[in-house]
Amino acid sequence: MKPTEFVKVNGQFWGEHLKGVAGHLPVSHRSELPGPMLFPRMMVLTETPDWNILELVGLSREYRSLEVRRQKVGSIEEYFGLGGGRTVVANLQGQNWFKDATIATEAGRKTLVEQFPKAGNMLGEELVGPADELLRFAPGNYSTFDRALLVQTSGDSLRAHWVFFALAIHRSEPADKYLDFLRNYINSRPHLDPVGTISLPIDPAALKADAFESTYLAHGLQDSGVDDFLDKHEGILLSAFDATKLVRRPALGDLHPDFILERSDGSHIVGRLELPVVDSVNGKKRRRVFRTPVQDSAAELAQYAEYLKNAENRAQVKSKYDVDVADPREVLIVSSHEPVTPAAGVEVIDYDTILRFHLATNG
């Protein structure tokens, strides 16, 4: 199937499917659902030399026509941030379905429990193995990830990504067979749990804030400054990271991380936003631009951690911000639709996953 066919089939199919669900279930079956129904906000269609990849991303409290983003990457391994090590799930051939599941390396699973204790509410079926990588794709037809949490580790780095819905299809598969697959997959699901949605037992009030509306894909943040972002999303960051205090834009000498979080166990996180937010420098606003996004931000985070190793520096930070930061976790927050790879010593997590952890905490 050519990429143009892939775009056409998905654009029509998912629009009709999700619009039909939104017009029926939240109205006629509201009392039968666990809680509010959430929908994706964007459809990302990725072309590689051998594979076409669909991913539905974002978390929206109501259905709206999906925005469409098209992109090219060098390989399916690049898209999923994979290398060439031993895998948890090897040689994905033929048809594979992962639904309400967690796929993680043993190191990733251990780190997940330690760093995001409320994530236990959403693990589902677990596929965990003593490996370096999560997946290995082999020539075949379909690999489907339906509300799956992927936790990838590489040395001392971590990449966590909650997948709302993603499907990888080999480009040799014709459009008509692909459409048949989608129809059969949709029809196989329970009526009250349609593909591309999630219904959670949460207080609807938690979904009404402007912050929730702007979290999907960092959508709507283009004109927001870092301080504005942190003001709006403080509650989400605190609950997702099990934190009790947020320090905005602290000054570490000449260094300026975006935030420091103090967790309930007394540990700390130093963080950087790799989002389309605006920096204010000497009263002037400028858009953040990342030439090599993860690497650039990882280098910045390493400088922050190095600064905080010095006892005198730590004392100054404690005096100014009332946080005693020793051996902090280094966290990089990215947009949900960008393919990224792990970075040494850094936790890379997209905003959709942070929001999902937040909802799990409050569910």
Side-chain angles (χ1 to χ4, degrees), residues 12 60 113 162 194 198 236 289 346:
Q12 181 174 349
S60 179
V113 171
W162 182 74
I198 185 169
I236 292 173
V289 178
V346 174

Side-chain angles (χ1 to χ4, degrees), residues 49 56 64 90 94 97 115 118 127 152 182 190 217 227 237 247 249 257 260 293 312 324 336 341 348 357-358:
L56 302 179
R64 281 169 283 184
W97 298 272
Q115 313 295 33
K118 296 298 184 179
L127 293 88
Q152 171 74 9
L182 289 178
L217 320 169
D227 290 326
L237 292 172
V247 180
R249 304 298 295 275
I260 290 176
E312 183 177 343
D324 186 9
S336 307
T341 54
V348 182
F357 286 161
H358 164 68

Side-chain angles (χ1 to χ4, degrees), residues 103-124:
I103 304 174
T105 61
E106 285 185 348
R109 177 67 174 84
K110 181 174 183 293
T111 301
L112 186 71
V113 171
E114 294 173 348
Q115 313 295 33
F116 302 97
K118 296 298 184 179
N121 295 346
M122 51 179 279
L123 292 177

Side-chain angles (χ1 to χ4, degrees), residues 133-300:
E133 304 291 347
L134 294 183
L135 311 163
R136 181 176 298 137
F137 292 88
N141 290 333
Y142 304 97
S143 293
T144 303
F145 303 89
D146 192 343
R147 300 189 309 221
L149 178 61
L150 309 180
V151 187
Q152 171 74 9
T153 48
S154 178
D156 58 354
S157 67
L158 176 77
R159 167 69 169 123
H161 177 47
W162 182 74
V163 178
F164 201 161
F165 184 85
L167 182 127
I169 173 177
H170 199 266
R171 288 182 58 178
S172 62
E173 190 73 354
D176 57 344
K177 289 189 176 181
Y178 173 60
L179 188 55
D180 286 342
F181 172 84
L182 289 178
R183 288 169 177 156
N184 290 334
Y185 189 77
I186 293 294
N187 292 334
S188 69
R189 282 281 284 270
H191 182 63
L192 296 178
D193 187 23
V195 177
T197 71
I198 185 169
S199 184
L200 299 171
I202 56 178
D203 184 349
L207 309 177
K208 292 182 179 179
D210 290 342
F212 182 88
E213 282 297 311
S214 64
T215 51
Y216 48 78
L217 320 169
H219 184 272
L221 295 177
Q222 288 80 358
D223 298 317
S224 176
V226 175
D227 290 326
D228 295 335
F229 176 87
L230 294 174
D231 285 343
K232 285 185 177 180
H233 303 275
E234 178 175 2
I236 292 173
L237 292 172
L238 291 175
S239 70
F241 288 98
D242 192 27
T244 57
K245 183 176 183 178
L246 170 69
V247 180
R248 299 168 177 79
R249 304 298 295 275
L252 309 183
D254 294 330
L255 303 172
H256 297 275
D258 289 325
F259 61 87
I260 290 176
L261 287 169
E262 184 169 74
R263 301 182 71 220
S264 57
D265 63 3
S267 64
H268 294 87
I269 294 169
V270 59
R272 184 161 170 81
L273 303 173
E274 186 190 299
L275 298 169
V277 293
V278 174
D279 275 325
S280 294
V281 181
N282 297 325
K284 296 181 179 180
K285 291 184 177 182
R286 59 186 175 90
R287 185 93 47 216
R288 288 191 170 185
V289 178
F290 302 91
R291 288 184 295 276
T292 53
V294 174
Q295 291 80 1
D296 286 354
S297 290
E300 292 274 351

Side-chain angles (χ1 to χ4, degrees), residues 48 51 53 74-83 135-138 341:
T48 81
W51 298 82
I53 306 166
S75 67
I76 194 169
E77 288 78 17
E78 179 183 341
Y79 182 84
F80 284 98
L82 306 177
L135 311 163
R136 181 176 298 137
F137 292 88
T341 54

Side-chain angles (χ1 to χ4, degrees), residues 8 72 93 126 151 162 183 196 199 214 216 218 250 303 306 313 315 360:
K8 182 178 179 180
K72 293 182 180 181
Q93 295 178 310
E126 295 187 59
V151 187
W162 182 74
R183 288 169 177 156
S199 184
S214 64
Y216 48 78
Q303 291 183 55
E306 186 64 29
N313 293 340

